[in-house]
Amino acid sequence: MTVPAYLHIVQYCAFGIAIIANSLLLHLIRMRAGLSFGRYRVLMISFSIYAIVYANIEIFTLPVMYMQGAGMIFYVDSVLKNHQDIGLLIAVSYCGCLAFCISMLATHFIFRYIAVCRQHHIHIFNGYKVYLLLIPPFFLFLIWAGAMFVCYRPNEVKRDFYRKVIADLYEEDIDQVAFIAPLYYGACFTTCSICAYKTYNKLHDSAIQMSKRTRTLSKQLFWTLGLQTLLPFITQYIPVGLVFLLPLFEIQVGKTMAVPVYLHIVQYCAFVIAIISNCLLLHLIRMRAGASFGRYRILMISFSIYAIVYANIEIFTLPVMYIQGSGMIFYVDSFLKYHQDAGLLIAIVYCGCLALCISMLSTHFIFRYIAVCRLAWKMEVYSTEFLT
């Protein structure tokens, strides 16, 4: 369906209210805000003017946003939607206003803090100096809008990705409308999820012709792979996701004291367990995994070798992470911590292992999907041909 009419009615009403309210506020500031407001009047006027400009930018944008899979599309639904260059410019300006708004509000808080808590420094805003507070908002606006323009501008990959959903939901031609869109290439998690879902359904489909032994073995391998994937998801990917998310809200996480001894004891114990268990697994694969496992033995051996290598990299890293304010530090606490070049290299390799792990697991899911689903499909075809 197309964008509902009431949505645009709400946007136009909000535009009218914003223009009237901020024009009235400007009039009141001019007529009623006397000397007692001091140079703060400049910031009040500036924010009201920004609000009027933003209202006009929004009405020339009329943004429509939709999330699909690993991406989000933001397209212009105003009179500029079929003017791709101007529409792209107004879209990135709309996004840049988000940075401008919060930074403008930050300058207000800075001014009020100095006016109340540091009154002896209020002179720094005398005369033209108060206008210097407007430089950071404009700078952040340019940075943010520029980043949107460079990273999220349209290309053929994004057009192909959103073409069908935009046509089906909004009856728009993606080649004609102005839009910006982030598209995250998180293919590994998607691959694992899709292949796992289809494999699970096939294994529990009684109509599929498969020997009891093969079905049992495939189920065991499936659940083993699922647990094998769940472990790094809980111990690696969720913590790493939080590490990137929490600084956005300036949530402090970590101890403000020396790294406790028990943490390193746990890390060394985990290292020993990982080495022993994966060496044992390699031995079992070599001795017990017969012809029924087929070429899947190679992937099993590869992942066990990766796990051993990763355990050694982690013990050479002994990572310590701490979140403070809007930043996060990751430092090496092993014997390499005072060897900056080698320590930096091992820290980077440690981070790269996160990508290697999930991509290797996705290859396992792809193999199991082909082994179960495609093999079953071929057996169905052969059975049909035999009966006919």
Side-chain angles (χ1 to χ4, degrees), residues 50-106:
Y50 155 75
I52 293 173
V53 172
Y54 173 76
N56 282 274
I57 290 175
E58 185 174 28
I59 214 64
F60 277 109
T61 308
L62 293 181
V64 176
M65 290 174 249
Y66 182 78
M67 292 185 182
Q68 176 185 331
M72 186 274 287
I73 187 170
F74 170 115
Y75 81 86
V76 176
D77 199 38
S78 68
V79 294
L80 298 176
K81 71 177 177 181
N82 294 321
H83 299 79
Q84 295 190 357
D85 292 336
I86 301 176
L88 176 61
L89 182 62
I90 201 73
V92 298
S93 298
Y94 177 87
C95 296
C97 285
L98 302 180
F100 190 87
C101 177
I102 190 64
S103 53
M104 279 281 288
L105 291 171

Side-chain angles (χ1 to χ4, degrees), residues 2 100 120 151 213 258 273 334:
T2 58
F100 190 87
H120 54 285
C151 300
R213 183 174 181 274
I273 294 171
S334 69

Side-chain angles (χ1 to χ4, degrees), residues 236-288:
Q236 292 180 352
Y237 297 106
I238 290 179
V240 169
L242 291 175
V243 161
F244 283 97
L245 180 64
L246 294 178
L248 295 176
F249 302 97
E250 298 190 7
I251 299 175
Q252 184 168 310
V253 176
K255 290 185 174 291
T256 56
M257 54 187 288
V259 178
V261 177
Y262 72 82
L263 179 61
H264 288 335
I265 294 175
V266 170
Q267 289 172 317
Y268 283 114
C269 290
F271 166 73
V272 173
I273 294 171
I275 296 297
I276 294 174
S277 60
N278 282 283
C279 288
L280 178 60
L281 181 58
L282 284 172
H283 175 72
L284 292 174
I285 293 171
R286 179 176 176 272
M287 301 301 294
R288 300 292 180 87

